[in-house]
């Protein structure tokens, strides 16, 4: 577990790119530096508004805006945090405004952690898009077609084996890593031929994550 924590800390705190997630890491690096130079204000809404302006300027400078049309004809589903569309025969795209996170930095941390644990359903950043004055990240992910409903007891067993303790409803905590994993209901975990695919995860880091491993 110590090695896992060291690897995750390097992903979150380090400056290097990580293979196919390099675009994600590029944005996360910027947001991390931005957070250091402009400490979060007591008024979280104000901080996130400033962060949005900085992120838009960065995306313009780095040519990270997604220019392709996102057609409503390809709409699949929507939740509180995102909308999902067909991209091609093998992928979907998801547009997310980071509403479940206190900051865009926290959102990109969550994406990077997801890609570490769940490579079979890894996220790829295609860019950003502003729709009705709301900033969205445009994420591509493999399209998983479930063959049966995911058994949430099996999900719990799988996560327990990996030291994620079910602390309430569909929420989990890994105390040794200092990571929360939330909202794993049966729409966010799919089962295909008996194999679980975690397609929508919400990770949060606790202060314990940044503590040195023993």
């Amino acid at each position: 577990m110590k090695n896992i924590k060291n690897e995750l800390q390097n992903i979150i705190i380090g400056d290097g790119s990580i293979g196919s997630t390099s675009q994600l890491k590029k944005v996360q690096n910027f947001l991390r530096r931005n957070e250091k130079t402009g400490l979060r204000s007591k008024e979280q809404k104000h901080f996130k508004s400033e962060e949005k302006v900085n992120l838009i300027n960065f995306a313009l400078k780095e040519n990270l805006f997604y220019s392709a049309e996102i057609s409503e004809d390809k709409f699949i589903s929507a939740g509180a945090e995102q909308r999902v569309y067909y991209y091609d025969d093998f992928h979907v795209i998801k547009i997310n405004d980071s509403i479940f996170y206190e900051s865009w930095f926290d959102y990109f941390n969550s994406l990077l952690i997801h890609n570490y644990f769940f490579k079979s359903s890894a996220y790829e950043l295609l860019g950003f898009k502003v729709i009705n004055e709301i900033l969205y990240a445009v994420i591509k992910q493999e399209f998983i077609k479930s063959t049966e409903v995911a058994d949430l007891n099996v999900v719990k067993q799988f996560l327990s084996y990996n030291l994620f303790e079910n602390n309430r409803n569909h929420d989990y905590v890994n105390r040794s890593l200092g990571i929360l994993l939330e909202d794993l209901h049966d729409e966010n975990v799919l089962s295909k031929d008996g194999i679980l695919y975690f397609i929508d995860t919400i990770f949060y880091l606790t202060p314990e994550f940044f503590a040195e491993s023993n």
Side-chain angles (χ1 to χ4, degrees), residues 15-34:
D15 291 321
S17 296
I18 309 163
S20 61
T21 66
S22 59
Q23 197 84 306
L24 287 174
K25 183 60 182 171
K26 180 178 182 179
V27 176
Q28 190 263 5
N29 279 342
F30 166 76
L31 292 168
R32 177 164 53 86
R33 291 193 298 269
N34 183 64

Side-chain angles (χ1 to χ4, degrees), residues 59-78:
L60 286 169
K61 179 181 176 182
E62 298 294 330
N63 195 29
L64 290 176
F65 272 96
Y66 184 69
S67 59
E69 179 187 2
I70 299 178
S71 173
E72 289 300 314
D73 292 340
K74 297 184 177 181
F75 173 76
I76 299 175
S77 64

Side-chain angles (χ1 to χ4, degrees), residues 3-204:
N3 288 339
I4 292 176
K5 187 171 184 179
N6 289 340
E7 289 175 0
L8 285 169
Q9 286 178 330
N10 184 56
I11 289 171
I12 298 302
I13 303 171
D15 291 321
S17 296
I18 309 163
S20 61
T21 66
S22 59
Q23 197 84 306
L24 287 174
K25 183 60 182 171
K26 180 178 182 179
V27 176
Q28 190 263 5
N29 279 342
F30 166 76
L31 292 168
R32 177 164 53 86
R33 291 193 298 269
N34 183 64
E35 179 162 282
K36 285 181 178 179
T37 56
L39 298 177
R40 298 194 191 198
S41 65
K42 293 182 180 179
E43 186 181 352
Q44 191 61 43
K45 184 177 180 181
H46 176 68
F47 168 80
K48 197 168 185 181
S49 177
E50 287 186 347
E51 189 188 37
K52 172 186 172 182
V53 172
N54 290 332
L55 185 53
I56 288 174
N57 289 335
F58 176 77
L60 286 169
K61 179 181 176 182
E62 298 294 330
N63 195 29
L64 290 176
F65 272 96
Y66 184 69
S67 59
E69 179 187 2
I70 299 178
S71 173
E72 289 300 314
D73 292 340
K74 297 184 177 181
F75 173 76
I76 299 175
S77 64
E81 81 284 16
Q82 66 185 5
R83 293 174 65 83
V84 185
Y85 300 83
Y86 287 110
Y87 181 77
D88 57 29
D89 291 341
F90 306 102
H91 300 89
V92 296
I93 57 173
K94 300 177 176 181
I95 60 171
N96 194 309
D97 65 354
S98 78
I99 193 172
F100 282 174
Y101 300 86
E102 290 187 350
S103 70
W104 278 99
F105 177 61
D106 293 338
Y107 170 69
F108 274 87
N109 285 343
S110 180
L111 296 182
L112 289 170
I113 295 171
H114 173 98
N115 285 2
Y116 177 85
F117 283 115
F118 306 121
K119 295 178 175 61
S120 61
S121 59
Y123 297 116
E124 177 187 348
L125 176 65
L126 296 182
F128 295 91
K129 205 169 189 69
V130 176
I131 303 173
N132 297 327
E133 299 185 357
I134 299 174
L135 178 65
Y136 293 91
V138 183
I139 303 296
K140 184 170 77 169
Q141 187 179 46
E142 184 175 346
F143 175 54
I144 307 295
K145 188 172 183 179
S146 62
T147 54
E148 60 274 332
V149 176
D151 186 334
L152 294 183
N153 288 320
V154 175
V155 172
K156 184 183 294 186
Q157 292 170 13
F158 171 80
L159 290 172
S160 177
Y161 178 79
N162 290 280
L163 301 184
F164 279 88
E165 170 192 343
N166 183 219
N167 57 342
R168 63 177 183 179
N169 299 325
H170 305 304
D171 298 344
Y172 295 80
V173 57
N174 187 314
R175 302 185 192 282
S176 59
L177 295 179
I179 291 176
L180 303 175
L181 173 56
E182 299 189 353
D183 203 32
L184 285 182
H185 54 73
D186 56 5
E187 293 181 1
N188 291 340
V189 184
L190 301 181
S191 180
K192 180 180 179 182
D193 301 324
I195 299 174
L196 294 176
Y197 292 87
F198 292 73
I199 60 165
D200 285 316
T201 57
I202 300 173
F203 284 101
Y204 298 110

